[in-house]
Amino acid sequence: MPITEAKALSPTLQLAFNLLSRASVTPDDEGCQDVMIERLAALDFHVERLPFGDVDNFWAVRGHHGPVLAFAGHTDVVPSGPPTRWEYPPFEPCIDEHGMLCGRGASDMKGSLAAMVTAVERFVAAHPDHDGRIAFLITSDEEGPAIDGTRAVVEHLRESHDRLDYCIVGEPSSTTRLGDVIKNGRRGSLGGVLHIKGVQGHVAYPHLARNPIHQAMPALDALANEHWDHGNAFFPATSFQVSNFRAGTGATNVIPGEVEVVFNLRFSTEVTHDELKARTHAILDAHGLEYDLDWTLNGEPFLTAEGALVDAAIQGVEAVTGKRPALSTSGGTSDGRFIATLGAQVVELGPLNDTIHKVNERIRAADLDDLSRIYEATLKALFVDGTGNTREHG
């Protein structure tokens, strides 16, 4: 029988049950942040609630001097899909007979939030007068438009001249076992909506029309085969991908008057978004197209080289799992792209990502307790030396 009561579970799993039982489908928070804030306030965190639009956010800080390490994450989740397709109800968390914690958000990323809170609780209990400052940057707008969430909080911190040196984002970064991968960067994301204009007409009289589909194909082929850059040791070469192509009136005998092409460029630190825009326009112009192009910069690439945070996170994983993690910049974007603009070192470290956004999302329940220990060990590596004394920072 699955475990549905949290009373006999570890503090991390108890908190995870509490958060997972709340149907906080983006951008709704459903009281998840209240639960976290109550726990943090008991540890003498100064909490600043930062609602923007319909989105709940908060920034909480403990300590008064030294570098700032922030734990960042989101309480919102994607929709569950039809509940009837789930083995267990998506917002009624349980641990099944295989030891898997089941529920929407178990991996992405309420499990990480629970692990962060309990890690900090243990660290503060052991080091109440710790050097450095510990912070939480929490939003309910990561799975949605990502406009009034972390992006807005980061701008608030920038305007307030708040310091942020290190940040651990709890996104599910692991692939085959807990802690096997730490994401120390992400590619940039540049989106475009291209409207290529033609002249509508009858397919039997093509000389009286101009077919934008025919015009679009050579240009799109050139863009898809353009060698944008070589990439580097941390990033693959920039990639151009068409995600949507819309044209036609629905009739089989009409040449359409316009084509809409939606595309995305995932780019490395070897090229800027302005360079990508300029080169795209040059290719389109070379094909003699009449077009409009609207751009959206979803995020700049960022990279955290090996240093204080990466070293501490590696030590934290090794201390708990006994194995050294790999560093990676693969995957999509995350809120780390906004946080990195503050000049902070940013890594993503969380549970396995094999069931994120899927029906029957689940992770190993034991992994959450280990993840909490990894976060605690990372804090110790940053703020405490090998003798247990507080490390001094310049």
Side-chain angles (χ1 to χ4, degrees):
M1 291 291 293
I3 299 172
T4 58
E5 293 290 331
K7 291 181 181 179
L9 299 176
S10 69
T12 301
L13 287 169
Q14 288 180 27
L15 179 53
F17 263 57
N18 191 340
L19 297 175
L20 288 167
S21 67
R22 300 168 187 269
S24 55
V25 177
T26 189
D28 294 330
D29 170 69
E30 292 297 318
C32 291
Q33 293 182 22
D34 289 338
V35 172
M36 295 181 68
I37 287 171
E38 182 179 0
R39 301 279 285 258
L40 296 176
L43 299 175
D44 295 326
F45 274 79
H46 171 73
V47 180
E48 185 178 9
R49 292 181 183 266
L50 296 169
F52 295 107
D54 295 328
V55 175
D56 291 318
N57 311 286
F58 75 83
W59 169 250
V61 183
R62 186 186 197 278
H64 303 286
H65 56 88
V68 179
L69 167 68
F71 289 98
H74 58 92
T75 55
D76 60 320
V77 297
V78 297
S80 66
T84 53
R85 293 182 56 200
W86 285 68
E87 184 176 358
Y88 304 105
F91 296 106
E92 296 178 19
C94 68
I95 298 176
D96 70 11
E97 63 272 21
H98 304 293
M100 303 298 289
L101 173 64
C102 307
R104 173 57 86 221
S107 178
D108 189 15
M109 59 172 286
K110 292 180 178 179
S112 296
L113 297 180
M116 291 171 176
V117 171
T118 57
V120 170
E121 287 175 337
R122 292 193 306 275
F123 179 81
V124 169
H127 309 283
D129 299 319
H130 60 84
D131 192 13
R133 286 170 283 175
I134 306 171
F136 279 77
L137 194 168
I138 306 298
T139 182
S140 64
D141 183 37
E142 197 275 345
E143 301 290 8
I147 294 173
D148 291 325
T150 299
R151 185 199 299 259
V153 175
V154 163
E155 291 310 310
H156 170 80
L157 296 178
R158 197 190 317 278
E159 293 169 4
S160 303
H161 303 289
D162 278 305
R163 178 175 175 176
L164 207 170
D165 300 279
Y166 313 120
C167 183
I168 298 174
V169 184
E171 289 291 347
S173 61
S174 303
T175 54
T176 59
R177 58 174 173 77
L178 178 67
D180 59 352
V181 173
I182 293 174
K183 298 290 180 69
N184 66 321
R186 293 281 189 164
R187 292 177 294 174
S189 175
L190 178 64
V193 180
L194 172 65
H195 292 271
I196 300 174
K197 301 173 184 178
V199 176
Q200 183 173 317
H202 197 292
V203 296
Y205 302 96
H207 60 288
L208 300 178
R210 187 173 77 248
N211 194 322
I213 297 177
H214 294 180
Q215 289 189 306
M217 292 306 176
L220 294 178
D221 182 66
L223 289 166
N225 288 288
E226 175 73 2
H227 184 75
W228 303 95
D229 58 50
H230 294 284
N232 55 38
F234 297 98
F235 292 95
T238 295
S239 168
F240 173 93
Q241 295 294 322
V242 173
S243 56
N244 282 285
F245 188 100
R246 300 185 184 93
T249 64
T252 61
N253 61 350
V254 177
I255 294 171
E258 183 176 296
V259 165
E260 180 187 82
V261 182
V262 182
F263 64 86
N264 182 267
L265 287 146
R266 292 299 167 104
F267 61 101
S268 74
T269 51
E270 294 295 305
V271 65
T272 69
H273 68 270
D274 285 331
E275 290 171 341
L276 292 174
K277 289 180 182 179
R279 289 170 62 182
T280 300
H281 282 286
I283 291 171
L284 295 173
D285 293 341
H287 284 78
L289 302 182
E290 183 183 356
Y291 68 91
D292 293 320
L293 178 51
D294 297 319
W295 293 99
T296 301
L297 178 62
N298 301 305
E300 296 277 13
F302 72 91
L303 178 69
T304 298
E306 291 193 46
L309 180 59
V310 169
D311 292 347
I314 290 174
Q315 290 179 46
V317 171
E318 288 182 325
V320 176
T321 70
K323 299 187 179 188
R324 186 177 181 86
L327 300 178
S328 171
T329 62
S330 64
T333 59
S334 77
D335 278 356
R337 68 193 190 272
F338 305 127
I339 298 166
T341 65
L342 293 172
Q345 298 178 34
V346 180
V347 298
E348 297 172 28
L349 176 54
L352 270 67
N353 56 23
D354 55 334
T355 64
I356 59 174
H357 293 203
K358 292 183 179 180
V359 168
N360 293 324
E361 180 178 350
R362 59 190 59 201
I363 57 172
R364 288 183 65 247
D367 278 356
L368 280 195
D369 287 317
D370 285 343
L371 181 60
S372 182
R373 292 168 58 211
I374 288 172
Y375 290 151
E376 182 185 10
T378 302
L379 275 168
K380 290 179 179 178
L382 276 173
F383 293 150
V384 177
D385 64 23
T387 63
N389 297 318
T390 305
R391 178 182 294 146
E392 295 298 329
H393 294 271

